[in-house]
Amino acid sequence: MRRRVFLGLAAAMGALTGRASAAEAPGFTFPSIDGGELDSMAWRGQPVLVVNTASLCGFSGQLREMQSLHETYGPQGLVVLAVPSNDFNQELATGAEVREYCEMEYGIDLPMTDILPVARGEVHPFYAWVRQQTGFVPKWNFAKVLLGPDGQVIGTWNSFTRPGADSIRQGFAPHLRG
C-alpha cells in the first residue's frame, strides 16, 4: 500500500513539474532543413538515431554511413535524423548550403533539421531533455543518440563510434519490422 501511494505521488509530481514518466517520453519538433517541421511523435513506434552533424568536420564521412543505414533499415522502421550544428564552428552558413553540400557530396536524402544548437548556449529542447535524462552532451560533431520506439534514450555514443557500429545496431535491431 505504501509503495502504491508513493508511486502515485511520484507520478503526480512528474505531471506537475512537466517531466515525462519513463513510459511517456516527450515529443519534439525540429525545423526541417527543407522548410516546415519534423515531429518526433510521427516516429513513435520506431527506433530513431539522432546525430549532430557538421559539413566541414573531419568526421563528415559518417554521413555516408548514416545514409546507408537509412537506405538499409529505413524500410524496416529505423529513422536516421541528421541535426546540423555549428556549435563547434564547422558548419556551413545556411541550411540551404548544408542541404546542397550533403546531397552533392554524400547523396543524403534522410531527414535533416535546420542548423541547431546541440551543446552550447540555448540548445534545442531535445538535447536539453537528453542532457536531463542521461547527462549526455555532445562533446563534438557526430555524437549519436538512439531512441527506442517509446521515445526513450536507449544509448548515446561519441564521435568516434561510427553510425553502423555493432553497439548501435544492437540497440535498434530488436525494434525493426520484418
Side-chain angles (χ1 to χ4, degrees), residues 13 30 34 36-38 42 46 52 57-58 85 88 91 94 111-112 115-116 122-123 130-131 143 158 164 173:
M13 290 302 293
F30 299 87
D34 298 318
E37 289 189 335
L38 299 167
Q46 299 172 258
N52 66 298
C57 179
S85 178
F88 307 105
E91 190 50 273
T94 68
M112 294 181 79
I115 300 170
L116 297 174
E122 185 117 1
V123 301
V130 170
R131 180 183 303 179
N158 67 26

Side-chain angles (χ1 to χ4, degrees), residues 30 38 40 54 60 63 77 80 85 94 99 103 131-132 155 173:
F30 299 87
L38 299 167
S40 69
S60 65
L63 285 161
V80 181
S85 178
T94 68
R99 174 49 106 187
E103 285 176 354
R131 180 183 303 179
Q132 177 188 39

